[in-house]
């Protein structure tokens, strides 16, 4: 049985490729109807009966229950803020990019409904600075929404006020971390903050703050349209609804696919993305963005279920980005390239991540360029366990944010699946008389 | 002198990991109030307070958890990850610097996992560290070295090339940054931002290339930059005055108080080969929290200035020529005797004394008032607040700022005059939420932290204070600004702490006195009188003020008591500095003693000072430098400076603390008090004082406010003693006499005296009682002693005169002190003298446009007294109708414009272009 996409969030942008981002198209396709409906409800109703009931989990990467996150806001402390995370920086992830460019009003509607539900009167949409077209369209959409009264004072006569601010990021990966994003919004250097206090208690400007992903926000209007319980019927187990997966790498049809959670990796990669291109065999794939530990072809029949992937496969669905590599790939080279990214993007705050990523990158450079030493892999695992104590999934961490352990995913995967291959490379490298001293 | 080397070393048992060694901290950290939370650290059950941080609790109980970024006086940031520990029931490793203790918590700081984390983090910290310890100033006292030795893996597996930077780069005139050594702990950047409020350094770049940066064209010119050097856990930040001067193992230290201004921050003064090389801040809870300002930190250079006078001199054939001490003292005594014989004691005057110790002040006061018999004595120069006000207002301590209902700052710019008090007020306002009400003629350092700022033109301060006091007292509705200030106090109990100073030296002191009178009407008002000069408070307290005798008693009240103690006291109240200078100008002062003072440069009215110095009779200079004033002396008696003599000093809150001797002077300079004793001997009175301790004991016996504050108490009181000690007994922390300055100098250095264990706190109070009782008895028992006089209280009643109307073309002059001024400390310190700014007349942008000049243009400034040519600049901090010119900057000449006898100084500013 061939699977198909289940287009909920991406329906409009797939259907009306010419003008899906305009206010006219949005209104013509039932846009802002859910906002009208939401404004007649009690905020707590939206929180409990809709969002919590839908089982919606954050689409940014950590997969935390959205309704639950909202419920952590301490009672009676105002102002509260809603910050929307559109700083999609995870390598190989490109779903938010699409949503911002092609359906900005859907995000805005979700934002207004969510802000109403959590009683926030200012919402910030933090967009990755590189999304030039996305920002242009989002800003236009915000302006249109203001003009039509969907944002601003007394929205649609309900008495609810909301200001929406589009903030353009300055290009740091770490601004995609919840607290890094808040620091950046405050005008500081994007560096994650120690938790507790959690953002729900002391977030932006030390006030209670909810940080949600763009895709999460885009889903909220559909939960109201379908009803929370109805939405929860989609998906599998605690992974309800649909998710957009960005499939890239050596596949025939790379791209974003919105599918019901619970289908298998094989269905997604082979049936929707056309399988490995050029008739080659798959060597391995990365299931959840650059931060996720890798998987092998034997894992392809596992379901796209956040809990299953975490507990059984010791990795994560993360940001929903699947990278496929064919039989000709040198895994050490992939690991080095990923580490080059992490070493460059480490914010510099926590020692293990700052120094560790740099060290890993230098060692992986040598290994992948034929200059490894036999002890290098074990050495990386050894000093790497300062970043991830025990190296067991789920990764624990010695850093403030999850970027620290992310730097070890590739190395742990090399050890788990390609140990022999790496050692072989390293033994060859050991025959070389010298090792280079720089990789830049 | 008790030296650091006398202290028994902490026993370090072999075979026990360094982290388990008994720490010096166990001895010196007070253990706080009884714990309410019980937790287990490495198998030991300990008690702590709810909300305490694990790292601190462990340290207080003898378990040192290694750390780099954590600093007790700053908020935890969790950057270095060195303090990872295992907490049972919590996933992964926890940073103990940000983990709040909880009841039942079980913590392992030395488990396999914890050790592995410590090893690992250190290995990572060192991969990019250059390990250039042999040429690094930190080598030998480096926390990274020490921690690596105690907790590190011993060897590195890093074979790649390390990160490279140009080293070092200057980030200010005083501080250099070596980015290769930096371990990115963020102590310096957090200090600059959180504590100093000068966020001039920050992190730049990412990953392993993260570096501390300054912003383009904006160097790290903070007044507090030296603190970042002290708290840097590696040698990344070095200060030019100490750089390459010494190795830590060659240094010896003495605990002391900085007397650059009147805050008296605790410090550890270090020397090598009889040269002072460094002053480090010592953490004193009631005073400085470990911080120093740069002027205090680096000002020790003045001690070794080439220009110091090393031997006594007398004037022969119009020239000052070196001579022996007996000759100089004889000449001085003869001069005094002649003046006394010919014109009586009223023709003799003493100016100064604010630069010395309490012992200096007391013995000179006894000499002037008890032997010479003159009350023409003043430690101030018409630039302060009269002693009857300063010594008589209800007093607040610095720590009272933290729990005040509100803080009212009247006049002075704390950041420029008393920088570390500025830090305390800033902290109270910013961190502790105490409303800060500022009353000043212009925007200044604290303005950005003020809840409300009330501006007043010079001369109107008293009237503004009246309206504020009315509003604070409940009578609202007359002044919107005052009402807004009063509204801040709603729902807040406690004292109103008034920090009172002279914000404008061109304005008569009467204006400040009137403001004090008005605010003192409030029953909850208590005062910190913030006069800047080093020991001006101690000098006034011990009698160097007209109408006062030592121990804050008036001449009249203390006549009988001191008559008994000293033999005689002056018959009538004498002249203050202004009066002395006027009398001298008119030829009525036949002998003038200049006790470490420079009226020529320091008196706001230059013409008056100049005239007085020229017309004064026989002049004795007791000073360390030949200045514009002392160059006219007939006898020059050279004195030892701070760092060269032991003694005690009293800070602006009345806290008496010790200063230590670290080096001996070049030449034959003597402590000031000794010179007074020698002169007294030549005038026929033997004070019988040989050691500073004997002077301290005499002060404790005879000076009523200092009762009980004798040499024993001063040696044992960790944070000094606030006079009168009877009112501040609870704050006394006593310990045995020893000074174990800890090796770990980058930590908040704790005061040396062993803190009393918690359980011993009661004993300490009992001991304080006993000490006090002892001394009181000894006074009472001395035969025939009259009853002790009551301490002076200021009852108000001083009024100012309304300032004359300002004509529409005139600007009213505001002149205040700047930190780096023309004073000798700055001028004779190589590092600081570079920092003095050029004087510029600051006016409001409106006035600039009205006068029609460009920024930077030369203007002619004319007052009724004189005229100057200066550059002008517009500054929005200056109110319309006023002009600001820093006082005592080389070349500013502002004292040529001021007439001390007028209420305000009005200027005409004319464009010269």
């Amino acid at each position: 049985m061939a699977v198909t996409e289940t287009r909920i969030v991406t329906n409009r942008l797939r259907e009306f490729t010419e003008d899906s981002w305009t206010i006219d198209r949005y209104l013509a396709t039932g846009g802002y109807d859910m906002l009208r409906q939401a404004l007649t409800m009690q905020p707590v109703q939206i929180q409990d009966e809709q969002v919590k009931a839908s089982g919606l989990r954050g689409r940014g990467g950590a997969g935390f229950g959205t309704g639950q996150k909202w419920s952590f806001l301490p009672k009676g402390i105002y102002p509260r803020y809603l910050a929307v995370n559109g700083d999609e920086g995870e390598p190989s992830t490109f779903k938010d990019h699409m949503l911002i460019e092609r359906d900005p009003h859907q995000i805005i509607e979700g934002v207004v409904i969510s802000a109403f539900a959590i009683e926030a009167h200012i919402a910030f949409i933090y967009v990755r600075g590189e999304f030039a077209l996305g920002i242009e369209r989002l800003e236009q959409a915000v302006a249109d929404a203001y003009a039509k009264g969907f944002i601003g004072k007394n929205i649609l006569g309900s008495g609810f006020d909301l200001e929406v601010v589009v903030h353009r990021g300055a290009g740091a990966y770490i601004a995609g971390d919840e607290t890094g994003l808040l620091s950046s919004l405050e005008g500081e250097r994007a560096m994650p903050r120690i938790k507790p206090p959690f953002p729900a208690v002391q977030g932006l400007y030390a006030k209670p703050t909810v940080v949600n992903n763009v895709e999460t926000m885009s889903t909220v209007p559909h939960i109201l349209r379908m009803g929370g319980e109805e939405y929860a019927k989609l998906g599998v187990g605690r992974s309800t609804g649909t998710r957009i997966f960005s499939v890239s790498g050596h596949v025939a049809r790379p791209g974003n696919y919105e599918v019901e959670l619970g289908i298998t990796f094989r269905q997604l990669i082979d049936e929707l993305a056309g399988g490995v291109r050029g008739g080659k065999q798959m060597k391995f794939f990365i299931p959840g963005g650059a931060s996720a530990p890798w998987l092998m072809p034997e894992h392809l029949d596992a379901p796209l279920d956040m809990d299953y992937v975490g507990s059984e496969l010791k990795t994560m669905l993360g940001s929903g980005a699947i990278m496929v590599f064919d039989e000709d790939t040198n895994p050490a080279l992939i690991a080095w390239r990923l580490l080059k990214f992490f070493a460059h993007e480490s914010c510099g705050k926590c020692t293990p991540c700052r120094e560790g990523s740099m060290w890993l990158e230098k060692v992986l450079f040598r290994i992948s360029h034929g200059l490894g030493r036999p002890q290098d892999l074990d050495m990386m695992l050894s000093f790497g366990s300062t970043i991830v104590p025990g190296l067991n999934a789920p990764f624990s961490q010695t850093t403030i944010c999850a970027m620290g352990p992310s730097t070890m995913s590739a190395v742990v995967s090399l050890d788990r699946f390609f140990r022999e291959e790496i050692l072989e490379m390293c033994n060859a490298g050991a025959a070389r008389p010298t090792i280079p001293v720089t990789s830049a | 002198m008790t030296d650091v080397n006398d202290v028994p070393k902490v026993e370090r048992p072999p075979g026990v990991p360094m982290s388990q060694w008994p720490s010096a901290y166990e001895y010196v950290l007070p253990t706080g109030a009884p714990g309410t939370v019980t937790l287990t650290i490495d198998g030991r059950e300990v008690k702590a307070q709810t909300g305490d941080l694990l790292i601190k609790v462990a340290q207080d109980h003898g378990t040192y958890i290694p750390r780099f970024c954590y600093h007790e006086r700053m908020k935890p940031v969790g950057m270095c990850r060195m303090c990872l520990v295992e907490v049972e029931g919590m996933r992964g490793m926890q940073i103990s610097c940000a983990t709040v203790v909880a009841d039942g918590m079980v913590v392992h700081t030395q488990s396999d996992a914890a050790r592995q984390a410590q090893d690992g983090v250190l290995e990572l910290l060192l991969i990019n560290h250059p390990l250039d310890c042999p040429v690094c100033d930190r080598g030998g006292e480096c926390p990274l070295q020490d921690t690596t030795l105690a907790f590190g893996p011993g060897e590195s597996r890093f074979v790649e090339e390390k990160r490279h930077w140009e080293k070092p780069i200057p980030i200010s005139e005083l501080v250099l940054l070596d980015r290769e050594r930096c371990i990115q702990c963020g102590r310096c950047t957090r200090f600059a931002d959180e504590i100093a409020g000068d966020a001039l350094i920050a992190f730049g770049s990412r990953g392993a290339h993260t570096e501390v940066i300054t912003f383009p064209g904006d160097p790290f010119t903070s007044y507090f930059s030296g603190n970042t050097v002290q708290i840097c856990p590696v040698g990344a930040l070095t200060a030019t005055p100490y750089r390459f001067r010494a190795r830590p193992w060659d240094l010896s230290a003495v605990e002391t108080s900085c007397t650059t201004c009147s805050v008296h921050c605790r410090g550890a003064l270090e020397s090598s080969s009889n040269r002072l090389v460094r002053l480090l801040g010592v953490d004193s809870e009631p005073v400085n929290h470990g911080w120093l300002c740069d002027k205090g930190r680096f000002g020790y250079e003045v001690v070794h200035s080439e220009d110091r006078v090393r031997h006594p001199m007398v004037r022969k054939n119009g020239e000052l020529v070196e001579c022996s001490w007996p000759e100089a003292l004889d000449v001085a005594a003869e001069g005094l005797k002649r003046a006394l014989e010919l014109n009586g004691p009223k023709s003799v005057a003493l100016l100064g004394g604010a630069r010395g110790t309490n012992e200096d002040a007391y013995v000179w006061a006894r000499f002037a008032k008890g032997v010479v018999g003159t009350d023409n004595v003043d430690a101030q120069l018409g630039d302060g607040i009269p002693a009857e006000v300063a010594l008589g207002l209800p007093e607040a301590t610095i720590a009272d700022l933290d729990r005040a209902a509100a803080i009212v700052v009247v006049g002075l710019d704390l950041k420029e005059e008393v920088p570390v008090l500025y830090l305390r007020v800033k902290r109270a306002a910013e961190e502790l939420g105490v409303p800060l009400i500022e009353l000043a003629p212009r925007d200044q350092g604290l303005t950005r932290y003020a809840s409300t700022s009330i501006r007043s033109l010079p001369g109107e301060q008293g009237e503004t204070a009246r309206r504020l006091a009315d509003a604070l007292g409940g009578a609202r509705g007359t002044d919107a600004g005052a009402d807004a200030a009063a509204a801040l106090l709603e729902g807040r109990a406690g004292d109103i702490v008034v920090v009172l100073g002279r914000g404008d030296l061109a304005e008569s002191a009467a204006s400040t006195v009137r403001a004090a009178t008005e605010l003192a009407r409030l029953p909850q008002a208590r005062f910190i009188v913030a006069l800047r000069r080093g020991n001006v408070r101690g000098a006034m307290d011990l009698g160097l003020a007209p109408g006062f005798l030592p121990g804050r008693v008036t001449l009249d009240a203390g006549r009988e008591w001191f008559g008994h103690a000293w033999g005689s006291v002056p018959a009538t109240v004498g002249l203050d500095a202004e009066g002395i200078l006027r009398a001298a100008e008119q030829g009525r002062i036949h002998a003038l003693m200049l006790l470490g003072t420079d009226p020529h440069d320091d008196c706001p009215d230059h013409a008056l000072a100049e005239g007085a110095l020229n017309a004064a009779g026989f002049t004795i200079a007791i000073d360390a430098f030949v200045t514009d004033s002392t160059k006219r002396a007939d006898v020059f008696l050279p004195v030892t400076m701070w760092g060269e003599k032991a003694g005690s000093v009293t800070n602006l809150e009345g806290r008496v603390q010790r200063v230590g001797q670290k080096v001996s002077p070049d030449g034959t300079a003597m402590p000031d008090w000794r010179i007074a004793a020698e002169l007294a001997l030549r005038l026929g009175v033997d004070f019988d004082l040989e050691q500073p301790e004997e002077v301290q004991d005499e002060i404790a016996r005879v000076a009523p406010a200092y009762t009980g504050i004798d040499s024993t108490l001063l040696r044992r009181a960790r944070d000094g003693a606030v006079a009168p000690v009877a009112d501040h007994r609870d704050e006394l922390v006593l310990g045995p006499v020893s000074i174990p300055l800890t090796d770990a100098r980058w930590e908040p250095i704790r005061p040396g005296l062993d803190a009393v264990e918690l359980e011993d706190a009661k004993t300490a109070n009992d001991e304080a009682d006993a000490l006090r009782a002892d001394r009181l008895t000894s006074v009472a028992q001395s035969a025939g002693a009259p009853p002790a006089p009551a301490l002076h209280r200021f009852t108000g009643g001083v009024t100012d005169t309304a300032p004359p109307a300002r004509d529409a073309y005139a600007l009213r002059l505001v002149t205040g002190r700047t930190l780096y001024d023309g004073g000798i400390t700055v001028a004779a310190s190589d590092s600081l003298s570079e920092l003095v700014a050029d004087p510029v007349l600051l006016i409001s942008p409106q006035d600039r446009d009205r006068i029609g000049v460009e920024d930077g243009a030369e203007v002619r400034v004319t007052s009724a007294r004189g005229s100057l040519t200066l550059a002008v600049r517009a500054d929005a901090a200056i109110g319309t109708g006023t002009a600001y010119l820093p006082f005592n900057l080389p070349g500013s000449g502002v004292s040529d414009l001021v007439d001390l006898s007028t209420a305000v100084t009005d200027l005409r500013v004319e464009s010269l272009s």
Side-chain angles (χ1 to χ4, degrees), chain A residues 150-164:
Chain A
F150 299 125
I151 326 178
K153 297 280 175 211
N154 191 15
I155 295 171
L156 302 175
S158 65
F160 176 67
D161 303 336
L162 178 73
E163 302 296 325
V164 174

Side-chain angles (χ1 to χ4, degrees), chain B residues 609-659:
Chain B
E610 177 78 24
L613 289 166
N614 286 336
F618 184 74
T619 304
I620 307 171
I622 306 100
D623 208 323
F625 287 91
V626 175
T627 63
D628 286 335
S629 301
T630 56
K631 70 181 181 193
R632 302 157 211 244
D634 296 291
V635 187
F636 195 108
L637 305 173
V639 293
T640 51
M641 296 183 77
W642 176 86
E644 295 174 336
K645 64 182 168 190
S648 60
V649 287
T650 305
N651 78 352
L652 43 68
E653 56 174 340
R655 182 178 302 276
V656 189
Q657 302 180 100
R658 287 186 306 157
V659 288

Side-chain angles (χ1 to χ4, degrees), chain A residues 68-355:
Chain A
Q68 202 185 354
K69 204 177 209 178
W70 292 4
S71 68
F72 287 158
L73 289 168
K75 303 262 174 284
I77 299 182
Y78 300 92
R80 294 165 168 184
Y81 297 110
L82 174 64
V84 181
N85 189 343
D87 189 62
E88 187 178 52
E90 185 77 9
S92 78
T93 312
F94 40 83
K95 62 185 179 68
D96 295 342
H97 189 169
M98 176 179 77
L99 291 173
I100 293 167
E101 267 182 21
R102 309 261 185 108
D103 207 343
H105 281 288
Q106 183 174 260
I107 303 170
I108 294 168
E109 187 172 5
V111 166
V112 184
I113 294 170
S114 304
F116 178 72
I118 64 168
E119 301 174 77
H121 296 286
I122 303 182
F124 297 88
I125 307 179
Y126 189 106
V127 186
R128 183 171 170 182
E130 288 89 335
F131 295 169
L133 180 60
I135 289 167
E136 189 185 314
R137 286 183 178 170
L138 182 62
E139 282 178 341
Q140 183 61 49
V142 167
D144 291 344
Y146 265 110
K148 298 269 183 192
F150 299 125
I151 326 178
K153 297 280 175 211
N154 191 15
I155 295 171
L156 302 175
S158 65
F160 176 67
D161 303 336
L162 178 73
E163 302 296 325
V164 174
V165 179
V166 177
H167 182 93
R168 190 176 176 147
Y173 171 68
I174 207 62
D177 171 80
E178 192 167 58
T179 53
L181 181 141
L182 296 179
S183 295
S184 177
L185 264 182
E186 288 176 5
E188 302 287 328
R189 182 179 160 87
M191 274 182 158
R193 310 171 181 172
I194 342 177
K195 295 181 266 190
F198 287 91
V201 180
Q202 269 186 36
L204 193 60
Y205 306 116
K207 293 294 175 190
T209 305
V210 165
V211 185
N212 281 146
N213 171 261
V214 158
E215 187 185 345
T216 313
M217 286 293 102
S218 301
T219 310
V220 167
H222 299 285
I223 289 173
L224 262 69
R225 182 169 54 77
M226 295 168 69
E229 285 177 20
E230 196 61 28
Y231 183 86
K233 288 180 185 160
L234 288 170
V236 54
R238 287 178 55 244
S239 302
T240 62
T242 61
R243 277 194 73 169
I244 306 173
F245 286 89
S246 310
V247 186
S248 63
H250 303 148
V251 287
R253 287 192 301 275
N256 282 322
Y257 297 92
E258 182 179 5
V259 298
E260 188 181 344
L261 287 161
I263 69 160
T264 64
F265 283 105
R266 189 182 300 283
Q267 286 170 314
L268 175 62
I269 294 170
D270 285 357
E271 297 181 25
L272 292 172
V276 178
R277 68 183 181 194
K280 291 190 179 168
Q281 292 300 305
M282 179 193 286
K283 187 160 183 175
F284 65 97
F285 67 100
I286 308 180
S291 305
W294 306 351
L295 290 177
M296 298 295 278
E298 66 253 34
H299 302 120
L300 279 171
D301 290 316
L304 294 168
D305 170 344
M306 301 181 210
D307 298 323
Y308 181 88
V309 171
S311 61
E312 301 301 317
L313 305 184
K314 310 296 181 201
T315 176
M316 59 180 183
L317 284 187
S319 61
I322 295 177
M323 259 185 285
V324 177
F325 298 95
D326 70 19
E327 55 192 294
D328 298 337
T329 312
N330 174 354
L333 207 53
I334 300 302
W336 169 63
R337 190 59 194 83
L338 290 173
L339 259 300
K340 203 163 162 59
F341 172 80
F342 286 124
H344 182 261
E345 289 295 343
S346 170
C347 79
K349 189 163 188 171
C350 304
T351 305
C353 173
R354 180 185 69 236
E355 306 291 338

Side-chain angles (χ1 to χ4, degrees), chain B residues 105-373:
Chain B
M105 194 179 245
V106 180
V107 182
H108 301 285
T109 74
Q110 288 297 312
S111 64
D112 288 347
R115 279 169 170 280
Q116 196 192 353
Q118 289 163 358
D119 271 8
V121 171
L122 268 169
E123 184 178 25
L124 290 173
L125 278 173
L126 289 171
I127 64 173
N128 275 316
H129 188 78
L131 298 172
D132 57 348
C133 310
V135 295
C136 175
D137 269 334
R138 260 294 194 230
E141 59 174 12
C142 173
L144 183 60
Q145 270 183 338
D146 294 349
T147 310
T148 302
L149 196 68
F151 300 95
E155 272 182 55
S156 177
R157 294 170 288 181
F158 186 76
V159 296
E160 331 294 328
E161 186 170 7
K162 288 178 190 265
R163 177 191 61 193
H164 290 297
W165 296 107
E166 180 194 338
K167 61 192 283 178
I169 53 168
I171 56 173
S172 74
E173 295 277 334
L174 291 170
V175 182
L176 293 141
L177 167 67
D178 183 328
R179 291 165 292 178
E180 292 190 342
R181 293 178 188 156
C182 176
I183 58 166
Q184 287 87 19
C185 70
R187 279 184 161 210
C188 56
T189 54
R190 283 181 294 142
F191 172 84
D193 186 12
E194 279 175 33
I195 307 288
D198 301 323
L200 295 167
I201 47 175
F203 281 119
S205 301
R206 274 181 253 175
H209 293 275
T210 305
E211 58 176 316
V212 172
I213 53 163
T214 53
F215 300 98
D218 203 2
F220 183 38
T221 51
S222 171
Y223 284 166
F224 306 98
S225 66
N227 294 297
T228 63
V229 177
Q230 180 172 344
I231 62 177
C232 178
V234 292
L237 293 171
T238 45
T240 48
Y242 174 73
R243 198 174 154 74
F244 302 140
R245 291 290 197 290
R247 303 306 323 231
W249 50 85
D250 289 334
L251 299 177
S252 61
V254 67
E255 199 181 326
T256 193
S257 313
C258 170
T259 59
T260 304
C261 77
S262 55
V263 176
H264 296 182
C265 301
R266 298 301 287 162
L269 182 60
E270 298 181 315
S271 71
S272 171
S273 306
N274 203 37
R275 280 285 172 281
L276 300 177
V277 291
R278 187 161 69 169
L279 178 68
L280 293 171
V282 168
D283 194 310
S284 162
E285 174 60 42
V287 183
N288 64 324
H289 287 183
W291 312 127
L292 299 175
C293 70
D294 287 357
K295 185 176 177 184
R297 183 180 295 271
F298 302 123
Y300 65 83
E301 289 184 344
V302 68
V303 173
H304 301 300
S305 165
E306 285 298 309
D307 298 333
R308 279 285 296 276
V309 178
R310 292 178 166 73
H311 300 284
M313 297 185 287
V314 293
R315 192 166 294 279
K316 285 179 184 160
N317 304 323
E319 294 283 314
L320 276 173
V321 293
E322 276 186 18
C323 65
S324 70
W325 270 102
E327 183 185 352
L329 288 167
D330 288 344
V331 171
E334 282 311 311
L336 286 171
K337 272 189 215 160
R338 201 162 44 247
L340 283 171
E341 280 160 17
L342 293 177
N343 298 290
K346 281 187 185 169
S347 74
V348 181
L350 170 71
L351 280 174
R355 240 183 237 161
T357 61
N358 287 352
E359 293 71 31
D360 296 334
Y362 172 79
V363 181
W364 273 100
R366 184 172 171 190
F367 173 68
K369 300 194 175 181
V371 178
V372 174

Side-chain angles (χ1 to χ4, degrees), chain B residues 702-732:
Chain B
V702 306
Y706 283 60
T707 301
I709 306 179
D710 60 8
S711 56
T712 313
L713 183 69
L714 282 173
R715 247 191 348 265
R716 295 193 53 189
R718 192 190 65 186
D719 300 319
V722 179
V725 75
D727 298 347
H728 297 273
R729 193 182 306 154
D730 296 347
E731 296 158 35
L732 272 185

Side-chain angles (χ1 to χ4, degrees), chain B residues 701-890:
Chain B
R701 271 200 309 278
V702 306
Y706 283 60
T707 301
I709 306 179
D710 60 8
S711 56
T712 313
L713 183 69
L714 282 173
R715 247 191 348 265
R716 295 193 53 189
R718 192 190 65 186
D719 300 319
V722 179
V725 75
D727 298 347
H728 297 273
R729 193 182 306 154
D730 296 347
E731 296 158 35
L732 272 185
V733 183
L734 296 179
V737 185
S738 65
I739 304 190
L741 287 171
T742 157
D743 291 337
R745 297 199 167 99
W746 63 298
E747 289 290 344
I749 298 182
R750 288 294 175 176
L753 298 174
D754 296 0
V756 192
E757 291 290 326
L758 177 65
E759 304 76 53
D760 295 343
K762 195 183 157 296
T763 329
N765 280 333
D766 292 348
E767 277 191 59
D769 277 344
L771 272 169
R772 211 178 83 77
D774 261 9
R775 306 298 167 249
L776 287 175
T777 321
S778 66
V779 173
Q781 280 172 353
S782 65
L791 302 189
H792 166 67
R793 301 259 53 123
F794 174 60
T795 47
V798 180
T799 52
D800 57 349
T801 47
R806 182 175 62 89
D807 79 64
Y809 297 100
L811 297 179
R812 200 146 269 181
L813 176 64
V814 178
T815 179
R817 296 180 186 279
T818 52
L819 188 66
Y820 302 126
D821 60 7
I824 196 75
T825 305
V826 173
S829 297
D830 291 344
S831 312
L832 298 179
S833 55
E834 304 290 314
L835 305 174
V836 180
D838 290 330
V840 176
L841 183 77
L842 298 180
I843 59 178
S844 69
Q846 295 86 335
D847 286 325
R848 175 196 57 189
D849 296 344
R850 184 178 57 75
I851 297 163
V853 285
E854 297 289 314
D855 281 355
E858 297 259 292
V859 289
R860 170 152 295 276
V861 181
T862 313
S863 75
R865 199 28 113 57
S867 154
L868 292 174
T869 302
L870 275 172
V872 70
R873 200 174 71 228
D875 190 328
I878 309 298
T880 315
T882 59
Y884 178 78
L885 192 54
F887 183 71
N888 193 12
L889 268 194

